[in-house]
Amino acid sequence: FAATERQMYFLVFDKEKSFISTYEDSDGNNEFNKAEDKKIGETVALSKGVSFSGNTPLFELEEPYIGFRANGSLFLPEGVSDLSLKDPEEENADIIIEQSNSKGKMYLDFTVTTGRIIKAVYREE
């Protein structure tokens, strides 16, 4: 979408409510700023019983987000390390999702070039 529209966008995550919102970089500073950037579309809730999990670097931020440049490539906020392609035996990923009443978690990793999920691994605890 970002590449088609030739505009920078942010997917903003609310870990406590399990929501995802989309914002347009309307102030042009290439960083997410809730007060300055324009929210577009509806806020989406994860399915009932599904939530963001773990203490990944992304979710240590007050307002976690991932950004998509006008060419479609993905970027993480400054200071957030990309955990993609790390040792699969370690319990790390860019985003971790869990479902209540389930023993396992879904580990999602992105490729920054295309902004797509390159690896989705389900691991039982």
Side-chain angles (χ1 to χ4, degrees), residues 18-86:
S18 299
F19 289 163
I20 303 172
S21 301
T22 306
Y23 285 79
E24 179 181 280
D25 183 27
S26 50
D27 61 7
N29 70 355
N30 300 333
E31 293 180 13
F32 175 65
N33 181 329
K34 194 172 198 171
E36 300 291 329
D37 294 325
K38 178 182 175 187
K39 183 178 179 297
I40 59 171
E42 298 294 320
T43 295
V44 177
L46 296 181
S47 298
K48 185 176 182 178
V50 177
S51 62
F52 299 112
S53 178
N55 292 321
T56 64
L58 181 65
F59 285 103
E60 291 175 4
L61 297 175
E62 187 175 321
E63 291 187 305
Y65 71 89
I66 56 176
F68 293 90
R69 295 181 183 92
N71 66 3
S73 64
L74 177 144
F75 68 94
L76 296 170
E78 187 174 327
V80 174
S81 58
D82 179 11
L83 297 179
S84 300
L85 303 176
K86 302 294 184 204

